[in-house]
Structure formats: C-alpha cells, structure tokens
Amino acid sequence: MSALRKRLGAARRKLTRLTAARRAWRLMLPVLFPLRAKRSARLLYAAVLDGQTVNLHAELPRSAGTPDSAEIVIGTGRGRHAVPARIHTDREGRVLMDAAVLLGAEVGGAPVTPGRWKLRLQTRSGRSSRTMPLLLSSLPAPYEGGATGPMAVSPVTGRRNRIGRTATGAARIICSAPKPGVEVVHLHIGHAGIQVDFRLLGMDAEGGWCEFVASGRRIEAGLTEVEAGVWRVGVPLAEMTPSGSRPEHWDVVFCSKGRRPVRVARKLHDVRNPQQVFATRKIMVAPGPEHLIMVESRYTAAGNLRFTCSAEAG
C-alpha cells in the first residue's frame, strides 16, 4: 500500500505541475502574442483536413513587405523539408500566404516521423531571405455534424498528424506513431470460402496468423502475402456452417506471439458511422450437399469486420 500511495502522490504532483504550467501559459499568451506578432506570420487558418495534408493561410507582418517568393520549412533537429508557398495581396493591401504541406515520405511528402516538427515561413526578396515563425492564436476546432468527420489519421501510414503550438504560440506539427491495427484492403465472399486482404499498422506479420471467432468456435488460418505489405487470409465456408438454427456472428482477429489479438477492421476513414455507410453484402451458398447458408459481411459501429452465417432451409 505504501508503494501505491507513493505512486499516487507522484502522479498528483505531476498533474499539479502540468496544471500550473498551463495556467501560466494562458496568462502569458496575451502578453507574448502581440510582441511576437510584429516579427511573425500570423496564421488565419491552420488544419490537417485529410490526416496527412497541412493547410495553412497566414498574414505576413508589414515589416516583411511583399516577398518575391516563399516556402514553408518543416523540421526537427537537423532535418528540414521545404514546400513552396504562394504569396498574394488582398484588396485591403494585406500580404497573405497560402500553402499545403503533404506529410509522409510514403506519399511523396515531407519525411516526418513521430515527434514534434517546427513550422517556419522563409521568404526571399532579391538576394535577401528571412525566416519567421507561424503564429497560431488558437488551436483548430473539429467540425461537428454530417456523415463524415475530421480525418484523424493518415489513410496511408496510419500516423496521426495534428496542429499544435509552443509555449510562445508558434505553430508546429505533432506526429504520433500509428496504433496497432489491421486495415481491410479487399473482401471476397465466394461459394467455397471467404478471403480477406489486409495490411498491418504499427506491427509486422512475422509469425502471425488470423482466427475467425464465433461464440464457442474458433477457426485458425495462415497468412499469404499477395503484394508488398498486403496479406490474405482465407477460410472455407464449410467450417463456418452454423451448428444450429440460430445465426452465428464471426469476427476476424490477427494474432501473434507476445501481443494481444487485434481485430481486422476498417479504421482509416472519415465516416462517423461505418455500420450505416459501408455497404453490406449477402450471398447464398451451399458449402455442403445438405447445407444451404446465407453469408452476410458488414462492419460494426466500431468499424470491425463481421460475418453472419445463417442456416437456410434446403
């Protein structure tokens, strides 16, 4: 009990320090922001709309004039990557900047990895250049309503990219490693069996296998790599025939030694309710001479892949 009390005490002290730091930051921001605004580009809009593209719109300080060209520089430590930005002047005479920064070497963008990445605006006028921070007064708020929502992660890498800011208000990109997941690529229901193609996020397939799991039943199946990074698992429908008159619901999980099973699912999308949006498919099959079953594929509200097998009268 004494060790537990020590850990709880340490956790409370850490929480108190974090709360005090946030309070101090909120109090200082009204002072720091105007001081930095004179030598910084002020972001009027900043958001990651598709999980991997940073959209930026900023107003340059008057001291910057109207540059000949500009680029967004994203970097951490010694690594840096530059993306062209567009400079233009509005009707009120403000000098504005627009840019879209694609994140992820896998999609031909900035080679970001998990961590915190600084954002800078570099301008050029003739032979002179100037680098300034991008000042963010408030963090973007996610929109609500509709069938779709903000894309929280990259649909290609599974990494989470979001806009953050430093204690002085400078914008930055916070990149998080993908959570372990199994993403459906293709699904096929034939008259003899089911095949599911998927890719893995945050883990590898070495020594792994899949299991089709229903109440009181379990079918183990091996994996085959059909293309780079895409794996296939199949199971005969004869093994999924219901043992009684009640329908059986089958979930598919990826298993590997030393790791908890992970459900095969569709997570990398912006759909709020995959159960209602993603199309389902039903097919009547005869896996045996005396068996006729209805097989339905669907996704649960959480996006997990599920098959329902129902016995039909022959």
Side-chain angles (χ1 to χ4, degrees), residues 265-294:
R266 283 192 67 177
K267 301 286 188 179
L268 304 184
H269 55 74
D270 59 357
V271 173
R272 293 187 186 275
N273 193 333
Q275 191 175 32
Q276 294 181 357
V277 175
F278 293 139
T280 61
R281 185 190 180 195
K282 292 183 179 180
I283 183 172
M284 185 79 73
V285 298
E290 299 180 359
H291 298 97
L292 194 63
I293 65 173
M294 177 70 74

PDB file of all heavy atoms in Angstrom, residues 265-294:
ATOM      1  N   ALA A 265     -10.361  -4.711 -39.243  1.00  0.00           N
ATOM      2  CA  ALA A 265     -11.382  -3.664 -39.268  1.00  0.00           C
ATOM      3  C   ALA A 265     -11.109  -2.663 -40.383  1.00  0.00           C
ATOM      4  O   ALA A 265     -10.126  -2.775 -41.124  1.00  0.00           O
ATOM      5  CB  ALA A 265     -11.414  -2.952 -37.915  1.00  0.00           C
ATOM      6  N   ARG A 266     -11.997  -1.685 -40.487  1.00  0.00           N
ATOM      7  CA  ARG A 266     -11.773  -0.505 -41.323  1.00  0.00           C
ATOM      8  C   ARG A 266     -11.805   0.707 -40.400  1.00  0.00           C
ATOM      9  O   ARG A 266     -12.857   1.077 -39.869  1.00  0.00           O
ATOM     10  CB  ARG A 266     -12.860  -0.377 -42.407  1.00  0.00           C
ATOM     11  CG  ARG A 266     -12.676  -1.330 -43.564  1.00  0.00           C
ATOM     12  CD  ARG A 266     -13.595  -0.969 -44.730  1.00  0.00           C
ATOM     13  NE  ARG A 266     -13.235   0.314 -45.332  1.00  0.00           N
ATOM     14  CZ  ARG A 266     -13.853   0.823 -46.397  1.00  0.00           C
ATOM     15  NH1 ARG A 266     -14.873   0.170 -46.943  1.00  0.00           N
ATOM     16  NH2 ARG A 266     -13.484   1.966 -46.901  1.00  0.00           N
ATOM     17  N   LYS A 267     -10.633   1.300 -40.192  1.00  0.00           N
ATOM     18  CA  LYS A 267     -10.499   2.431 -39.275  1.00  0.00           C
ATOM     19  C   LYS A 267     -10.034   3.703 -39.976  1.00  0.00           C
ATOM     20  O   LYS A 267     -10.300   4.810 -39.495  1.00  0.00           O
ATOM     21  CB  LYS A 267      -9.486   2.082 -38.171  1.00  0.00           C
ATOM     22  CG  LYS A 267      -9.848   0.853 -37.341  1.00  0.00           C
ATOM     23  CD  LYS A 267     -10.972   1.129 -36.377  1.00  0.00           C
ATOM     24  CE  LYS A 267     -11.167  -0.051 -35.430  1.00  0.00           C
ATOM     25  NZ  LYS A 267     -12.252   0.180 -34.457  1.00  0.00           N
ATOM     26  N   LEU A 268      -9.311   3.562 -41.086  1.00  0.00           N
ATOM     27  CA  LEU A 268      -8.690   4.720 -41.734  1.00  0.00           C
ATOM     28  C   LEU A 268      -9.673   5.383 -42.702  1.00  0.00           C
ATOM     29  O   LEU A 268      -9.541   5.300 -43.927  1.00  0.00           O
ATOM     30  CB  LEU A 268      -7.408   4.301 -42.454  1.00  0.00           C
ATOM     31  CG  LEU A 268      -6.369   3.598 -41.581  1.00  0.00           C
ATOM     32  CD1 LEU A 268      -5.114   3.327 -42.385  1.00  0.00           C
ATOM     33  CD2 LEU A 268      -6.049   4.414 -40.340  1.00  0.00           C
ATOM     34  N   HIS A 269     -10.653   6.054 -42.149  1.00  0.00           N
ATOM     35  CA  HIS A 269     -11.669   6.734 -42.944  1.00  0.00           C
ATOM     36  C   HIS A 269     -12.229   7.894 -42.128  1.00  0.00           C
ATOM     37  O   HIS A 269     -11.903   8.072 -40.950  1.00  0.00           O
ATOM     38  CB  HIS A 269     -12.787   5.755 -43.333  1.00  0.00           C
ATOM     39  CG  HIS A 269     -13.406   5.061 -42.152  1.00  0.00           C
ATOM     40  ND1 HIS A 269     -14.272   5.692 -41.283  1.00  0.00           N
ATOM     41  CD2 HIS A 269     -13.264   3.792 -41.676  1.00  0.00           C
ATOM     42  CE1 HIS A 269     -14.653   4.864 -40.338  1.00  0.00           C
ATOM     43  NE2 HIS A 269     -14.045   3.698 -40.542  1.00  0.00           N
ATOM     44  N   ASP A 270     -13.075   8.700 -42.756  1.00  0.00           N
ATOM     45  CA  ASP A 270     -13.682   9.838 -42.063  1.00  0.00           C
ATOM     46  C   ASP A 270     -15.177   9.639 -41.838  1.00  0.00           C
ATOM     47  O   ASP A 270     -15.913  10.591 -41.558  1.00  0.00           O
ATOM     48  CB  ASP A 270     -13.441  11.126 -42.844  1.00  0.00           C
ATOM     49  CG  ASP A 270     -14.024  11.074 -44.255  1.00  0.00           C
ATOM     50  OD1 ASP A 270     -14.566  10.010 -44.629  1.00  0.00           O
ATOM     51  OD2 ASP A 270     -13.947  12.088 -44.964  1.00  0.00           O
ATOM     52  N   VAL A 271     -15.651   8.408 -41.952  1.00  0.00           N
ATOM     53  CA  VAL A 271     -17.072   8.091 -41.789  1.00  0.00           C
ATOM     54  C   VAL A 271     -17.403   7.996 -40.296  1.00  0.00           C
ATOM     55  O   VAL A 271     -16.708   7.312 -39.545  1.00  0.00           O
ATOM     56  CB  VAL A 271     -17.402   6.762 -42.501  1.00  0.00           C
ATOM     57  CG1 VAL A 271     -18.830   6.328 -42.205  1.00  0.00           C
ATOM     58  CG2 VAL A 271     -17.206   6.910 -44.002  1.00  0.00           C
ATOM     59  N   ARG A 272     -18.455   8.691 -39.892  1.00  0.00           N
ATOM     60  CA  ARG A 272     -18.831   8.676 -38.481  1.00  0.00           C
ATOM     61  C   ARG A 272     -19.494   7.363 -38.075  1.00  0.00           C
ATOM     62  O   ARG A 272     -19.336   6.894 -36.964  1.00  0.00           O
ATOM     63  CB  ARG A 272     -19.782   9.840 -38.174  1.00  0.00           C
ATOM     64  CG  ARG A 272     -19.123  11.224 -38.287  1.00  0.00           C
ATOM     65  CD  ARG A 272     -20.085  12.292 -37.806  1.00  0.00           C
ATOM     66  NE  ARG A 272     -19.553  13.627 -38.016  1.00  0.00           N
ATOM     67  CZ  ARG A 272     -18.736  14.252 -37.167  1.00  0.00           C
ATOM     68  NH1 ARG A 272     -18.359  13.652 -36.065  1.00  0.00           N
ATOM     69  NH2 ARG A 272     -18.308  15.477 -37.426  1.00  0.00           N
ATOM     70  N   ASN A 273     -20.271   6.764 -38.985  1.00  0.00           N
ATOM     71  CA  ASN A 273     -20.981   5.530 -38.654  1.00  0.00           C
ATOM     72  C   ASN A 273     -20.751   4.508 -39.757  1.00  0.00           C
ATOM     73  O   ASN A 273     -21.554   4.396 -40.691  1.00  0.00           O
ATOM     74  CB  ASN A 273     -22.480   5.801 -38.480  1.00  0.00           C
ATOM     75  CG  ASN A 273     -23.202   4.623 -37.833  1.00  0.00           C
ATOM     76  OD1 ASN A 273     -22.776   3.473 -37.948  1.00  0.00           O
ATOM     77  ND2 ASN A 273     -24.297   4.906 -37.144  1.00  0.00           N
ATOM     78  N   PRO A 274     -19.653   3.744 -39.677  1.00  0.00           N
ATOM     79  CA  PRO A 274     -19.357   2.760 -40.736  1.00  0.00           C
ATOM     80  C   PRO A 274     -20.424   1.695 -40.873  1.00  0.00           C
ATOM     81  O   PRO A 274     -20.610   1.138 -41.951  1.00  0.00           O
ATOM     82  CB  PRO A 274     -18.012   2.164 -40.294  1.00  0.00           C
ATOM     83  CG  PRO A 274     -17.922   2.443 -38.830  1.00  0.00           C
ATOM     84  CD  PRO A 274     -18.638   3.735 -38.614  1.00  0.00           C
ATOM     85  N   GLN A 275     -21.150   1.413 -39.788  1.00  0.00           N
ATOM     86  CA  GLN A 275     -22.190   0.385 -39.832  1.00  0.00           C
ATOM     87  C   GLN A 275     -23.307   0.770 -40.809  1.00  0.00           C
ATOM     88  O   GLN A 275     -23.875  -0.092 -41.482  1.00  0.00           O
ATOM     89  CB  GLN A 275     -22.759   0.180 -38.431  1.00  0.00           C
ATOM     90  CG  GLN A 275     -23.659  -1.041 -38.286  1.00  0.00           C
ATOM     91  CD  GLN A 275     -24.085  -1.240 -36.849  1.00  0.00           C
ATOM     92  OE1 GLN A 275     -24.240  -0.291 -36.088  1.00  0.00           O
ATOM     93  NE2 GLN A 275     -24.284  -2.489 -36.461  1.00  0.00           N
ATOM     94  N   GLN A 276     -23.594   2.071 -40.913  1.00  0.00           N
ATOM     95  CA  GLN A 276     -24.662   2.526 -41.797  1.00  0.00           C
ATOM     96  C   GLN A 276     -24.163   2.884 -43.189  1.00  0.00           C
ATOM     97  O   GLN A 276     -24.904   2.767 -44.168  1.00  0.00           O
ATOM     98  CB  GLN A 276     -25.348   3.750 -41.179  1.00  0.00           C
ATOM     99  CG  GLN A 276     -26.096   3.455 -39.892  1.00  0.00           C
ATOM    100  CD  GLN A 276     -26.778   4.694 -39.336  1.00  0.00           C
ATOM    101  OE1 GLN A 276     -26.650   5.785 -39.886  1.00  0.00           O
ATOM    102  NE2 GLN A 276     -27.494   4.537 -38.235  1.00  0.00           N
ATOM    103  N   VAL A 277     -22.900   3.333 -43.292  1.00  0.00           N
ATOM    104  CA  VAL A 277     -22.396   3.868 -44.558  1.00  0.00           C
ATOM    105  C   VAL A 277     -21.805   2.785 -45.461  1.00  0.00           C
ATOM    106  O   VAL A 277     -22.107   2.725 -46.659  1.00  0.00           O
ATOM    107  CB  VAL A 277     -21.360   4.972 -44.301  1.00  0.00           C
ATOM    108  CG1 VAL A 277     -20.732   5.438 -45.610  1.00  0.00           C
ATOM    109  CG2 VAL A 277     -22.013   6.144 -43.573  1.00  0.00           C
ATOM    110  N   PHE A 278     -20.953   1.932 -44.903  1.00  0.00           N
ATOM    111  CA  PHE A 278     -20.292   0.933 -45.739  1.00  0.00           C
ATOM    112  C   PHE A 278     -21.279  -0.146 -46.164  1.00  0.00           C
ATOM    113  O   PHE A 278     -22.008  -0.709 -45.337  1.00  0.00           O
ATOM    114  CB  PHE A 278     -19.111   0.308 -45.001  1.00  0.00           C
ATOM    115  CG  PHE A 278     -17.991   1.278 -44.751  1.00  0.00           C
ATOM    116  CD1 PHE A 278     -17.310   1.280 -43.543  1.00  0.00           C
ATOM    117  CD2 PHE A 278     -17.615   2.193 -45.714  1.00  0.00           C
ATOM    118  CE1 PHE A 278     -16.276   2.161 -43.308  1.00  0.00           C
ATOM    119  CE2 PHE A 278     -16.586   3.087 -45.488  1.00  0.00           C
ATOM    120  CZ  PHE A 278     -15.912   3.070 -44.285  1.00  0.00           C
ATOM    121  N   ALA A 279     -21.270  -0.451 -47.442  1.00  0.00           N
ATOM    122  CA  ALA A 279     -22.230  -1.404 -47.999  1.00  0.00           C
ATOM    123  C   ALA A 279     -21.995  -2.807 -47.459  1.00  0.00           C
ATOM    124  O   ALA A 279     -20.861  -3.228 -47.237  1.00  0.00           O
ATOM    125  CB  ALA A 279     -22.139  -1.409 -49.522  1.00  0.00           C
ATOM    126  N   THR A 280     -23.081  -3.517 -47.236  1.00  0.00           N
ATOM    127  CA  THR A 280     -23.006  -4.918 -46.819  1.00  0.00           C
ATOM    128  C   THR A 280     -23.321  -5.802 -48.019  1.00  0.00           C
ATOM    129  O   THR A 280     -23.907  -5.353 -49.021  1.00  0.00           O
ATOM    130  CB  THR A 280     -23.998  -5.211 -45.685  1.00  0.00           C
ATOM    131  OG1 THR A 280     -25.339  -4.961 -46.157  1.00  0.00           O
ATOM    132  CG2 THR A 280     -23.716  -4.317 -44.483  1.00  0.00           C
ATOM    133  N   ARG A 281     -22.947  -7.046 -47.902  1.00  0.00           N
ATOM    134  CA  ARG A 281     -23.201  -7.980 -48.997  1.00  0.00           C
ATOM    135  C   ARG A 281     -23.742  -9.276 -48.431  1.00  0.00           C
ATOM    136  O   ARG A 281     -23.247  -9.784 -47.417  1.00  0.00           O
ATOM    137  CB  ARG A 281     -21.915  -8.245 -49.779  1.00  0.00           C
ATOM    138  CG  ARG A 281     -22.153  -9.126 -51.010  1.00  0.00           C
ATOM    139  CD  ARG A 281     -20.867  -9.578 -51.643  1.00  0.00           C
ATOM    140  NE  ARG A 281     -21.137 -10.421 -52.807  1.00  0.00           N
ATOM    141  CZ  ARG A 281     -20.235 -11.191 -53.385  1.00  0.00           C
ATOM    142  NH1 ARG A 281     -19.012 -11.224 -52.925  1.00  0.00           N
ATOM    143  NH2 ARG A 281     -20.546 -11.927 -54.436  1.00  0.00           N
ATOM    144  N   LYS A 282     -24.771  -9.808 -49.089  1.00  0.00           N
ATOM    145  CA  LYS A 282     -25.326 -11.102 -48.712  1.00  0.00           C
ATOM    146  C   LYS A 282     -25.207 -12.055 -49.897  1.00  0.00           C
ATOM    147  O   LYS A 282     -25.403 -11.659 -51.050  1.00  0.00           O
ATOM    148  CB  LYS A 282     -26.799 -10.980 -48.310  1.00  0.00           C
ATOM    149  CG  LYS A 282     -27.048 -10.227 -47.015  1.00  0.00           C
ATOM    150  CD  LYS A 282     -28.535 -10.233 -46.676  1.00  0.00           C
ATOM    151  CE  LYS A 282     -28.803  -9.511 -45.363  1.00  0.00           C
ATOM    152  NZ  LYS A 282     -30.246  -9.522 -45.028  1.00  0.00           N
ATOM    153  N   ILE A 283     -24.902 -13.300 -49.592  1.00  0.00           N
ATOM    154  CA  ILE A 283     -24.794 -14.304 -50.645  1.00  0.00           C
ATOM    155  C   ILE A 283     -25.264 -15.641 -50.092  1.00  0.00           C
ATOM    156  O   ILE A 283     -24.959 -15.995 -48.946  1.00  0.00           O
ATOM    157  CB  ILE A 283     -23.345 -14.406 -51.171  1.00  0.00           C
ATOM    158  CG1 ILE A 283     -23.264 -15.412 -52.325  1.00  0.00           C
ATOM    159  CG2 ILE A 283     -22.370 -14.747 -50.068  1.00  0.00           C
ATOM    160  CD1 ILE A 283     -21.908 -15.432 -53.017  1.00  0.00           C
ATOM    161  N   MET A 284     -26.028 -16.346 -50.885  1.00  0.00           N
ATOM    162  CA  MET A 284     -26.481 -17.682 -50.505  1.00  0.00           C
ATOM    163  C   MET A 284     -25.509 -18.697 -51.094  1.00  0.00           C
ATOM    164  O   MET A 284     -25.220 -18.670 -52.300  1.00  0.00           O
ATOM    165  CB  MET A 284     -27.884 -17.936 -51.050  1.00  0.00           C
ATOM    166  CG  MET A 284     -28.492 -19.257 -50.597  1.00  0.00           C
ATOM    167  SD  MET A 284     -29.149 -19.190 -48.933  1.00  0.00           S
ATOM    168  CE  MET A 284     -30.633 -18.207 -49.213  1.00  0.00           C
ATOM    169  N   VAL A 285     -25.000 -19.572 -50.246  1.00  0.00           N
ATOM    170  CA  VAL A 285     -24.029 -20.564 -50.699  1.00  0.00           C
ATOM    171  C   VAL A 285     -24.424 -21.933 -50.178  1.00  0.00           C
ATOM    172  O   VAL A 285     -25.183 -22.063 -49.211  1.00  0.00           O
ATOM    173  CB  VAL A 285     -22.599 -20.217 -50.232  1.00  0.00           C
ATOM    174  CG1 VAL A 285     -22.139 -18.892 -50.799  1.00  0.00           C
ATOM    175  CG2 VAL A 285     -22.511 -20.202 -48.711  1.00  0.00           C
ATOM    176  N   ALA A 286     -23.877 -22.942 -50.829  1.00  0.00           N
ATOM    177  CA  ALA A 286     -24.104 -24.325 -50.413  1.00  0.00           C
ATOM    178  C   ALA A 286     -22.749 -24.968 -50.158  1.00  0.00           C
ATOM    179  O   ALA A 286     -22.167 -25.589 -51.058  1.00  0.00           O
ATOM    180  CB  ALA A 286     -24.872 -25.085 -51.488  1.00  0.00           C
ATOM    181  N   PRO A 287     -22.198 -24.795 -48.956  1.00  0.00           N
ATOM    182  CA  PRO A 287     -20.864 -25.348 -48.673  1.00  0.00           C
ATOM    183  C   PRO A 287     -20.831 -26.869 -48.622  1.00  0.00           C
ATOM    184  O   PRO A 287     -19.773 -27.476 -48.693  1.00  0.00           O
ATOM    185  CB  PRO A 287     -20.534 -24.752 -47.300  1.00  0.00           C
ATOM    186  CG  PRO A 287     -21.858 -24.472 -46.679  1.00  0.00           C
ATOM    187  CD  PRO A 287     -22.774 -24.107 -47.803  1.00  0.00           C
ATOM    188  N   GLY A 288     -21.971 -27.501 -48.513  1.00  0.00           N
ATOM    189  CA  GLY A 288     -22.052 -28.954 -48.480  1.00  0.00           C
ATOM    190  C   GLY A 288     -23.305 -29.422 -49.191  1.00  0.00           C
ATOM    191  O   GLY A 288     -24.226 -28.626 -49.448  1.00  0.00           O
ATOM    192  N   PRO A 289     -23.405 -30.696 -49.519  1.00  0.00           N
ATOM    193  CA  PRO A 289     -24.557 -31.198 -50.276  1.00  0.00           C
ATOM    194  C   PRO A 289     -25.874 -31.053 -49.531  1.00  0.00           C
ATOM    195  O   PRO A 289     -26.929 -30.987 -50.150  1.00  0.00           O
ATOM    196  CB  PRO A 289     -24.212 -32.673 -50.528  1.00  0.00           C
ATOM    197  CG  PRO A 289     -23.203 -33.016 -49.479  1.00  0.00           C
ATOM    198  CD  PRO A 289     -22.427 -31.763 -49.231  1.00  0.00           C
ATOM    199  N   GLU A 290     -25.841 -30.978 -48.207  1.00  0.00           N
ATOM    200  CA  GLU A 290     -27.073 -30.884 -47.432  1.00  0.00           C
ATOM    201  C   GLU A 290     -27.151 -29.596 -46.638  1.00  0.00           C
ATOM    202  O   GLU A 290     -27.968 -29.479 -45.724  1.00  0.00           O
ATOM    203  CB  GLU A 290     -27.177 -32.085 -46.478  1.00  0.00           C
ATOM    204  CG  GLU A 290     -27.225 -33.423 -47.191  1.00  0.00           C
ATOM    205  CD  GLU A 290     -27.329 -34.578 -46.221  1.00  0.00           C
ATOM    206  OE1 GLU A 290     -27.335 -34.319 -44.995  1.00  0.00           O
ATOM    207  OE2 GLU A 290     -27.409 -35.726 -46.670  1.00  0.00           O
ATOM    208  N   HIS A 291     -26.310 -28.619 -46.975  1.00  0.00           N
ATOM    209  CA  HIS A 291     -26.282 -27.371 -46.219  1.00  0.00           C
ATOM    210  C   HIS A 291     -26.452 -26.183 -47.161  1.00  0.00           C
ATOM    211  O   HIS A 291     -25.812 -26.114 -48.210  1.00  0.00           O
ATOM    212  CB  HIS A 291     -24.965 -27.223 -45.450  1.00  0.00           C
ATOM    213  CG  HIS A 291     -24.745 -28.299 -44.445  1.00  0.00           C
ATOM    214  ND1 HIS A 291     -23.968 -29.408 -44.694  1.00  0.00           N
ATOM    215  CD2 HIS A 291     -25.214 -28.447 -43.176  1.00  0.00           C
ATOM    216  CE1 HIS A 291     -23.953 -30.190 -43.635  1.00  0.00           C
ATOM    217  NE2 HIS A 291     -24.710 -29.641 -42.690  1.00  0.00           N
ATOM    218  N   LEU A 292     -27.320 -25.268 -46.774  1.00  0.00           N
ATOM    219  CA  LEU A 292     -27.533 -24.031 -47.501  1.00  0.00           C
ATOM    220  C   LEU A 292     -27.483 -22.897 -46.477  1.00  0.00           C
ATOM    221  O   LEU A 292     -28.265 -22.885 -45.518  1.00  0.00           O
ATOM    222  CB  LEU A 292     -28.886 -24.060 -48.206  1.00  0.00           C
ATOM    223  CG  LEU A 292     -29.153 -22.997 -49.281  1.00  0.00           C
ATOM    224  CD1 LEU A 292     -28.185 -23.168 -50.436  1.00  0.00           C
ATOM    225  CD2 LEU A 292     -30.608 -23.083 -49.762  1.00  0.00           C
ATOM    226  N   ILE A 293     -26.549 -21.963 -46.645  1.00  0.00           N
ATOM    227  CA  ILE A 293     -26.413 -20.895 -45.652  1.00  0.00           C
ATOM    228  C   ILE A 293     -26.376 -19.526 -46.335  1.00  0.00           C
ATOM    229  O   ILE A 293     -25.961 -19.402 -47.480  1.00  0.00           O
ATOM    230  CB  ILE A 293     -25.157 -21.072 -44.773  1.00  0.00           C
ATOM    231  CG1 ILE A 293     -23.885 -20.948 -45.606  1.00  0.00           C
ATOM    232  CG2 ILE A 293     -25.190 -22.377 -44.018  1.00  0.00           C
ATOM    233  CD1 ILE A 293     -22.604 -20.950 -44.766  1.00  0.00           C
ATOM    234  N   MET A 294     -26.861 -18.535 -45.588  1.00  0.00           N
ATOM    235  CA  MET A 294     -26.786 -17.142 -46.011  1.00  0.00           C
ATOM    236  C   MET A 294     -25.590 -16.519 -45.292  1.00  0.00           C
ATOM    237  O   MET A 294     -25.485 -16.579 -44.064  1.00  0.00           O
ATOM    238  CB  MET A 294     -28.058 -16.393 -45.638  1.00  0.00           C
ATOM    239  CG  MET A 294     -28.027 -14.901 -45.973  1.00  0.00           C
ATOM    240  SD  MET A 294     -28.094 -14.596 -47.742  1.00  0.00           S
ATOM    241  CE  MET A 294     -29.829 -14.988 -48.060  1.00  0.00           C
TER     242      MET A 294
END
